[in-house]
Amino acid sequence: MTDLTEIRTEMRRRRKAERPKEILEAAFAEFSRNGYASTTLDQIAERAGVTKGTIYVYFDSKEHLFISMVREVMQASLDTVHELFETHEGSTADLLHAQFSFIYQHIVEDKRRREVVRMLIAEAPRFPELADRYHEEILRPCLDMLRQAIQRGMDRGEIRKSSIVDSPQVVIAPIALVDLWMMMFDKRQPLDLKAYFNAHLDMVLHGLLAK
Amino acid sequence: MTDLTEIRTEMRRRRKAERPKEILEAAFAEFSRNGYASTTLDQIAERAGVTKGTIYVYFDSKEHLFISMVREVMQASLDTVHELFETHEGSTADLLHAQFSFIYQHIVEDKRRREVVRMLIAEAPRFPELADRYHEEILRPCLDMLRQAIQRGMDRGEIRKSSIVDSPQVVIAPIALVDLWMMMFDKRQPLDLKAYFNAHLDMVLHGLLAK
DNA sequence: AATTATTTACTATCCAGTTAGTCAATAACG
DNA sequence: CGTTATTGACTAACTGGATAGTAAATAATT
């Protein structure tokens, strides 16, 4: 085997190896633009630079392509979530500040994840197991971490005793609202994210009432 | 005119007056079950007890039917929001408690509204003006009311001075999360609404930090 | 030549929107 | 009053375009 053929073989292998990812990428773009039902495989194929027949070499059906695409995009968010767990020591207030900072930077701004969430919501009746996967792999770990942080803060006396620890969702709810807001209104009803972030942290830490 | 024909005439008149509502009701049921694109007019017609042709007597197109249906369901929520404005005097904490109570009872439990929100999210790229309408008629009034309540509380000294008043979304974000949660997970990942409501109010009023 | 990746052409089906026509109720008229 | 014309609500059947999936043909590579 000459060097040249070796290189060619390698290119060919890589091409084959890349095809599914290229198709998944195109699938994400088209599905998130038009929704599951209104997206045609021809659109996806054209964007991927292949024809419809090629898609069927790598994926059994439109449904399987959709499921694979969602899992692909979720994987990326999952890696971000794992990073979130590497965060450090310090007072509970500092910890929450650091973690919220991270989340606002990485999760809130991640448009790909948000588009997947949009599809999960839209298609939840048809693909409930995908939504459950999102809960299992992304939401639950975040909530567990948060619950843990609050619990430790209570043990240390930094956090007042309250039953909020049993409903950690309320603490990160403003992040969910950003998703919802962006999905529904995008830039048409603007949201000052910087002010919003500060208000979020402020409310979580101090609440509204005067002491 | 015999009694029989009189009755028939009356039935016919009532029938005509009710037809659009019957069709809209069927449209809601089918659209929310299958999504916009996957719902056929034949499905809607069958549920309404008519044929497809009849739908075209009352509505110009599938798009117009969808838009009319959304407006119809939103109207109901709008009435609820107006009720919300009739709420009373008392300390700001009491006011918030009362308003939140009302919202949890009426908005959070309103499955029809939630299904419409799901469709708004799913179809926002195709029907942005519907999402904007939701903002204009439901979300914004609620946020304005909330902002007003907080401002008055600050003026009275009941509420600490903070920039939360400029981002009132963070205060009702937990309500948005209930929507998101239900839309994605329904009963599969249960949420203890009673505990959640208390945690929400607790966090909004007192925050997490001790002292 | 043999193998593999991809395309092309096709099929069967579905569905929004249309059209022609039915049937009953009213209006017009003699 | 009774007969005929007209209207209004609705249906059944059809059309044309689109589209998921298939399978045979072709191109690329070794």
Side-chain angles (χ1 to χ4, degrees), chain A residues 160 162-164 167 169-171 173 203-204 206-209, chain B residues 91-104 146 159 170-175 178 192-208:
Chain A
R160 46 181 275 275
S162 85
S163 56
I164 294 172
S167 300
Q169 289 99 335
V170 300
V171 178
M203 185 189 67
V204 166
H206 303 101
L208 286 178
L209 293 191
Chain B
S91 74
T92 303
D94 286 349
L95 180 68
L96 288 177
H97 182 90
Q99 289 180 339
F100 280 22
S101 255
F102 185 91
I103 290 176
Y104 271 83
L146 186 58
I159 298 280
V170 299
V171 178
I172 53 165
I175 293 163
V178 174
D192 179 347
L193 255 185
K194 209 163 180 93
Y196 185 88
F197 167 75
N198 289 325
H200 179 189
L201 204 70
D202 193 8
M203 185 189 67
V204 165
L205 294 179
H206 303 101
L208 285 178

Side-chain angles (χ1 to χ4, degrees), chain B residues 118-179:
Chain B
R118 188 207 298 281
M119 294 186 252
L120 293 183
I121 289 172
E123 306 299 335
R126 193 198 284 252
F127 301 101
E129 65 287 349
L130 284 182
D132 287 345
R133 195 185 187 81
Y134 186 83
H135 177 259
E136 190 65 30
E137 299 187 350
I138 296 182
L139 222 46
R140 203 206 326 232
C142 285
L143 289 169
D144 282 347
M145 185 186 65
L146 186 58
R147 198 195 326 265
Q148 224 169 7
I150 295 173
Q151 186 61 55
R152 198 176 53 182
M154 270 170 56
D155 295 343
R156 285 184 189 166
E158 295 170 315
I159 298 280
R160 44 180 276 275
K161 290 204 195 306
S162 83
S163 56
I164 294 172
V165 72
D166 298 319
S167 299
Q169 290 98 336
V170 299
V171 178
I172 53 165
I175 293 163
L177 184 136
V178 174
D179 268 355

Side-chain angles (χ1 to χ4, degrees), chain B residues 26-128:
Chain B
F28 168 77
E30 293 299 323
F31 279 135
S32 65
R33 173 173 293 279
N34 303 117
Y36 177 76
S38 299
T39 299
T40 71
L41 292 178
D42 282 325
Q43 284 168 32
I44 295 171
E46 189 182 355
R47 179 179 278 259
V50 297
T51 55
K52 192 167 50 170
T54 304
I55 293 178
Y56 280 91
V57 172
Y58 298 101
F59 303 95
D60 292 346
S61 64
K62 189 182 182 184
E63 266 196 33
H64 279 77
L65 173 59
F66 180 73
I67 291 169
S68 301
M69 179 277 289
V70 170
R71 291 168 66 132
E72 170 91 353
V73 177
M74 264 174 57
Q75 188 60 43
S77 307
L78 218 158
D79 298 343
T80 308
V81 170
H82 284 316
E83 256 190 84
L84 188 55
F85 278 73
E86 296 165 11
T87 30
H88 33 59
E89 299 298 303
S91 74
T92 303
D94 286 349
L95 180 68
L96 288 177
H97 182 90
Q99 289 180 339
F100 280 22
S101 255
F102 185 91
I103 290 176
Y104 271 83
Q105 272 168 46
H106 289 84
I107 308 278
V108 170
E109 308 245 312
D110 183 348
K111 288 179 183 176
R112 292 171 67 84
R113 185 198 52 84
R114 180 147 53 238
E115 285 308 315
V116 160
V117 170
R118 188 207 298 281
M119 294 186 252
L120 293 183
I121 289 172
E123 306 299 335
R126 193 198 284 252
F127 301 101

Side-chain angles (χ1 to χ4, degrees), chain A residues 113-135:
Chain A
R113 185 197 54 83
R114 181 149 49 239
E115 285 308 315
V116 161
V117 170
R118 187 205 300 279
M119 295 185 253
L120 292 183
I121 289 171
E123 306 299 336
R126 193 197 286 252
F127 301 101
E129 66 286 347
L130 285 181
D132 287 344
R133 197 186 186 79
Y134 187 83
H135 177 259

